[in-house]
Amino acid sequence: MARVTGEPGPAVERLASARRALLTSHASPDGDAVGSEIALAELARGLGVEPVIVNRDPMPAGLDLMPGAGAVRLLETVEGDLLEGIDLVVTLECPELDRAGIEGLDRRPILNIDHHRGNARYGEVAFLDDTAPAVGEMVWRMFRHAAIEPSPEAATAAFVALSTDTGDFRYGNATPRAFEAAAEMVAAGARPEQVSEWVHEQKTPGSIRLLGEALRTLELLAGGRVAVMQVDPEAFRRAGATAADTDDLIDVPRTIAGVRVTVFLKQWEPGVVRVSLRSRGTLDVRSVAARFGGGGHTNAAGCTIHGEIGAVRRDVVRAVLELVEEG
Ligand code: AMP
Ligand code: MN
């Protein structure tokens, strides 16, 4: 069981006592994952620690334009010389260690930094704060604690993390604390218009065509309170799209008046269905995801289910309808 703290101090101290730290985040990283990693890498250097950023999967399209993105290595296993040189693993946004999807991480001491409710409290030190708007904001607090001035690049990376995890400061986690941190990041050199272009205006033609394919499958249930949409391998093929092209498709049905829960299913590999769930208010989609071995937050959760997409759709929809009928 980790030494758990809600304050940045112990995390800064643990990081500072390392020589070479591997920083990682969850598989299929989002803006908070990579933004936090890049910002934390700079903090590590400021503390005299050499950072190595390793993710299993590529970052979202457009974010590769962010300064520092080129330092992210993609690996499924950490071993040999790389592992030998590492004396600390820092996980960002990983409720469980295996969410990183990388083998070998458990062979070094772990500093666990996360804002997910239900983090498994693994590692040697765990800096956990489920009231933080983004892990990027927690990393920002670590800079403040360490009294290290973030560069414009670190401020930009932290702003990528914070702005993406708050849905451009539109979600429930857009708290005063989120805006205070954002003001500091912009003052330190982050440029919102630039970040917005990376996040929203670097789409591939395939992703726009895939939206068309997905919309053909849109179904409204429970009197319009539940929206369900999917993309299967045929849809990917017709659109000329890849798995990464689905990134924000789920946000489209969410915008329909009256929709309380949105379900998005994608099948890229045969027999494996990735399910994304979004909800409004107190409807807890995490509980639905957890029933299928996944997790997440009250209003944004997900799971991976093995099976055929039609059957998975029926099972997940049944669970969501139960939630909506209760709620
Ligand atoms: P996504 O729909 O992929 O954007 O995921 C939404 C949220 O659900 C993420 O921020 C994660 O916290 C969580 N999540 C997604 N997939 C899984 C999974 N397989 N296991 C646990 N949590 C997940
Ligand atoms: Mn996050």
Side-chain angles (χ1 to χ4, degrees):
M1 184 63 83
R3 184 172 150 226
V4 178
T5 166
E7 295 301 322
V12 170
E13 282 143 32
R14 185 62 189 85
L15 177 60
S17 70
R19 283 179 44 205
R20 195 154 192 257
L22 183 147
L23 317 184
T24 190
S25 189
H26 53 81
S28 306
D30 59 10
D32 193 21
V34 288
S36 298
E37 290 173 331
I38 291 170
L40 189 66
E42 182 177 304
L43 178 66
R45 282 189 294 270
L47 294 167
V49 181
E50 188 187 339
V52 187
I53 305 176
V54 176
N55 286 338
R56 194 190 72 178
D57 299 319
M59 64 184 72
L63 294 190
D64 50 345
L65 298 171
M66 148 172 65
V72 180
R73 296 172 59 172
L74 302 183
L75 285 176
E76 293 184 359
T77 306
V78 173
E79 58 194 350
D81 288 348
L82 178 61
L83 182 66
E84 289 308 314
I86 295 296
D87 57 1
L88 180 70
V89 167
V90 186
T91 60
L92 296 153
E93 283 233 284
C94 293
E96 289 100 25
L97 180 58
D98 63 10
R99 287 295 313 283
I102 298 172
E103 298 295 326
L105 300 180
D106 55 352
R107 295 172 62 188
R108 290 292 178 270
I110 289 166
L111 168 59
N112 164 10
I113 304 176
D114 191 18
H115 70 144
H116 289 89
R117 189 156 56 89
N119 182 289
R121 300 175 160 240
Y122 61 90
E124 185 187 308
V125 175
F127 174 26
L128 304 178
D129 183 356
D130 62 15
T131 66
V135 171
E137 189 263 359
M138 298 171 69
V139 171
W140 194 251
R141 289 177 64 201
M142 290 172 69
F143 270 97
R144 289 280 169 264
H145 179 88
I148 291 177
E149 205 52 53
S151 70
E153 289 72 31
T156 298
F159 190 84
V160 165
L162 180 57
S163 63
T164 54
D165 245 35
T166 57
D168 296 316
F169 304 95
R170 290 175 299 120
Y171 299 157
N173 59 349
T175 53
R177 199 169 134 185
F179 284 98
E180 282 159 20
E184 291 179 11
M185 292 168 192
V186 174
R191 288 174 48 213
E193 82 285 13
Q194 167 90 88
V195 169
S196 174
E197 201 177 305
W198 296 335
V199 173
H200 298 295
E201 297 173 2
Q202 295 293 328
K203 293 196 199 301
T204 62
S207 71
I208 300 297
R209 290 197 196 96
L210 193 64
L211 172 62
E213 294 289 338
L215 288 175
R216 289 166 52 185
T217 74
L218 176 66
E219 193 181 6
L220 289 165
L221 303 166
R225 285 176 292 164
V226 176
V228 188
M229 200 169 80
Q230 74 181 49
V231 288
D232 62 15
E234 274 297 286
F236 279 112
R237 194 188 51 74
R238 284 192 299 266
T242 67
D245 288 326
T246 58
D247 277 353
D248 27 54
L249 290 185
I250 193 169
D251 294 331
V252 177
R254 279 186 78 234
T255 61
I256 300 169
V259 167
R260 311 289 299 163
V261 178
T262 305
V263 181
F264 178 68
L265 305 102
K266 90 170 166 186
Q267 189 193 336
W268 169 250
E269 301 162 62
V272 183
V273 182
R274 275 275 309 136
V275 181
S276 292
L277 300 162
R278 300 290 184 269
S279 67
R280 293 190 186 277
T282 54
L283 282 173
D284 180 13
V285 286
R286 180 172 173 269
S287 67
V288 175
R291 280 171 62 174
F292 297 97
H297 312 263
T298 304
N299 297 134
C303 54
T304 299
I305 303 177
H306 291 263
E308 183 270 316
I309 192 161
V312 169
R313 179 170 178 146
R314 278 190 296 280
D315 292 347
V316 173
V317 163
R318 190 178 307 122
V320 166
L321 291 177
E322 280 172 25
L323 174 76
V324 170
E325 297 312 334
E326 287 163 14

